[in-house]
Amino acid sequence: MACLYASTNRSKMLAIMKKILLPTIAVLALAACEDPYNRSGVGFTGIDGEPRSISDVPGAVGVLPPATNVPAELAVLPAIQVTTDATDPEKIARVAIDNGGRSDTNAVVLTGSDTNMFLSTVAVNGTLFGVLQTENSSTKVDNSVGARFGQNAEQFTGCLPAGDVYRKGSSQRSSGFAVALNCS
């Protein structure tokens, strides 16, 4: 009878331990996966994974103070409206680059180590473009800047890239880059 009583107590004890230990182990394992103070995601930044600043974007072309949120700053600025007779996507993108903002009233200034870049949105014939360019057409940057801009267009603009990145310049260096955006 004592053996039966001991095995009953043992099985009750195992059941209680399972009810307490398994959820505790699961919570601890999940807590180890993520930083509890990382508040990114819907409800905190608006778009899941949206960077809080330009320094959060890998390969960013500029460095801004940590409190700056480039997509939010860009959203405040109105898109520059332009029309053209051109139908070729490359020519339309060129019109966007030519009309992109180059001041703090119509563009977000990205401060870089070598040169300042200006990020703006330009709507050409109703197609919205993200435009990244230097202060003037004579200042040129390496074309890898345009490639990084295209890869990170969503982090810079809050919109998905909807096509290729076009440039204004040579095969090595350019003064401006444009990518069509899908903000829906």
Side-chain angles (χ1 to χ4, degrees), residues 14 18 25 46 54 57 68 71 93 100 103-104 139 155 159 161 163-164 170 177 180 184:
L14 284 173
K18 284 181 185 177
I25 291 171
I54 196 78
V57 180
T68 303
S103 74
D104 60 356
T139 305
Q155 287 81 14
C159 301
D164 296 329
S170 70
F177 307 94
S184 57

Side-chain angles (χ1 to χ4, degrees), residues 2-24:
C3 288
L4 181 61
Y5 179 74
S7 82
T8 305
N9 275 345
R10 205 175 294 157
S11 58
K12 284 183 182 177
M13 189 66 115
L14 284 173
I16 291 171
M17 287 176 38
K18 284 181 185 177
K19 288 181 182 177
I20 294 172
L21 289 178
L22 288 177
T24 303

Side-chain angles (χ1 to χ4, degrees), residues 35-95:
D35 177 7
Y37 298 105
N38 181 3
R39 302 289 189 201
S40 66
V42 176
F44 293 102
T45 60
I47 298 175
D48 187 33
E50 176 183 296
R52 295 185 179 123
S53 73
I54 196 78
S55 62
D56 294 341
V57 180
V61 297
V63 178
L64 293 176
T68 303
N69 184 327
V70 173
E73 282 189 31
L74 189 62
V76 173
L77 299 173
I80 299 165
Q81 302 291 324
V82 181
T83 57
T84 182
D85 293 334
T87 56
D88 179 51
E90 188 171 350
K91 290 181 181 177
I92 293 172
R94 178 74 177 243
V95 170

Side-chain angles (χ1 to χ4, degrees), residues 75-135:
V76 173
L77 299 173
I80 299 165
Q81 302 291 324
V82 181
T83 57
T84 182
D85 293 334
T87 56
D88 179 51
E90 188 171 350
K91 290 181 181 177
I92 293 172
R94 178 74 177 243
V95 170
I97 294 168
D98 289 341
N99 289 280
R102 286 194 162 121
S103 74
D104 60 356
T105 59
N106 58 9
V108 176
V109 181
L110 305 178
T111 307
S113 57
D114 294 339
T115 184
N116 290 345
M117 300 291 289
F118 293 85
L119 176 65
S120 60
T121 52
V122 179
V124 181
N125 297 344
T127 301
L128 187 65
F129 284 87
V131 176
L132 182 69
Q133 59 189 341
T134 59
E135 289 182 78

